[in-house]
Amino acid sequence: GYDFSFGNVIDFWVNHDKPERIILNSYGGYLGEAIAITQHIRTYWADVPVYTIEAQSAATLIHLAASPENRYVAIDVIFMWHNMTGSFHGTADEMREYVLFLDKYRETIIKEYAASTTASEKQISDLMLDPPTYLTTEQILSLGFASQTFERESASIPDSFIAMKSDPILMFK
């Protein structure tokens, strides 16, 4: 396996062949990084199965990069979503512009999730409220975020990889 956060993702793409599977385990991260990883997977590796152990916030987007039939989630996975967050230092006018940016980005994410699942934009919007929303495995399957589940103890997922990380972590096999 080869695991990494966004910092060395480019090295992997340049120096390795297409993986047999992608294992995702993330307790959050930066949306910009998730978008870059998602675009690469969707463009070049959409047929590679993604096995998601944990996906919170930006990582749920990476999970959706695979084609629908190639999205797997751990039987006891929980997806967490929240509204866009950020911090900003500037004038009152600049802060108002930043709030508009967050609102526009939220709408873009809602459209992306709806286009990549069987959920409607309203369903996605309703789930992205404050405080954060936690989706169970049943909800993840019913909304089309995944096609199948897998047991964490499965031989196809290495136990050593089940760990908490603060940045999106992928493992390619």
Side-chain angles (χ1 to χ4, degrees):
Y2 184 89
D3 61 83
F4 59 91
S5 60
F6 186 74
N8 55 0
V9 77
I10 301 299
D11 172 68
F12 183 87
W13 291 338
V14 170
N15 297 310
H16 293 82
D17 294 330
K18 182 178 2 179
E20 293 177 27
R21 65 179 179 225
I22 300 169
I23 302 168
L24 173 63
N25 186 33
S26 177
Y27 282 84
Y30 295 102
L31 184 60
E33 294 175 354
I35 290 170
I37 293 168
T38 299
Q39 288 173 341
H40 182 86
I41 293 171
R42 187 171 285 154
T43 302
Y44 300 105
W45 301 342
D47 60 333
V48 175
V50 173
Y51 291 84
T52 301
I53 296 170
E54 293 295 340
Q56 298 190 13
S57 305
T60 57
L61 189 61
I62 298 171
H63 172 79
L64 292 176
S67 58
E69 68 276 7
N70 286 317
R71 297 180 199 151
Y72 300 84
V73 292
I75 194 85
D76 57 349
V77 73
I78 294 178
F79 279 12
M80 185 274 288
W81 285 346
H82 58 78
N83 271 322
M84 296 286 299
T85 60
S87 60
F88 185 82
H89 177 74
T91 67
D93 286 340
E94 291 169 331
M95 288 184 191
R96 281 188 278 277
E97 285 182 35
Y98 186 69
V99 168
L100 292 174
F101 164 79
L102 290 176
D103 289 343
K104 288 178 185 176
Y105 225 117
R106 180 181 187 276
E107 293 306 313
T108 299
I109 291 168
I110 289 169
K111 289 180 187 311
E112 177 65 30
Y113 283 159
S116 299
T117 66
T118 58
S120 69
E121 288 184 22
K122 171 141 178 38
Q123 287 174 301
I124 300 295
S125 178
D126 289 348
L127 292 169
M128 290 185 68
L129 300 174
D130 293 319
T133 297
Y134 295 87
L135 299 178
T136 64
T137 304
E138 292 77 23
Q139 291 170 306
I140 292 165
L141 292 169
S142 71
L143 292 170
F145 279 84
S147 58
Q148 297 181 50
T149 61
F150 66 91
E151 294 285 339
R152 286 179 189 256
E153 294 78 28
S154 169
S156 63
I157 306 299
D159 290 337
S160 62
F161 190 69
I162 300 174
M164 287 190 186
K165 299 285 185 177
S166 60
D167 292 323
I169 300 295
L170 304 177
M171 177 178 274
F172 299 103
K173 288 263 185 182

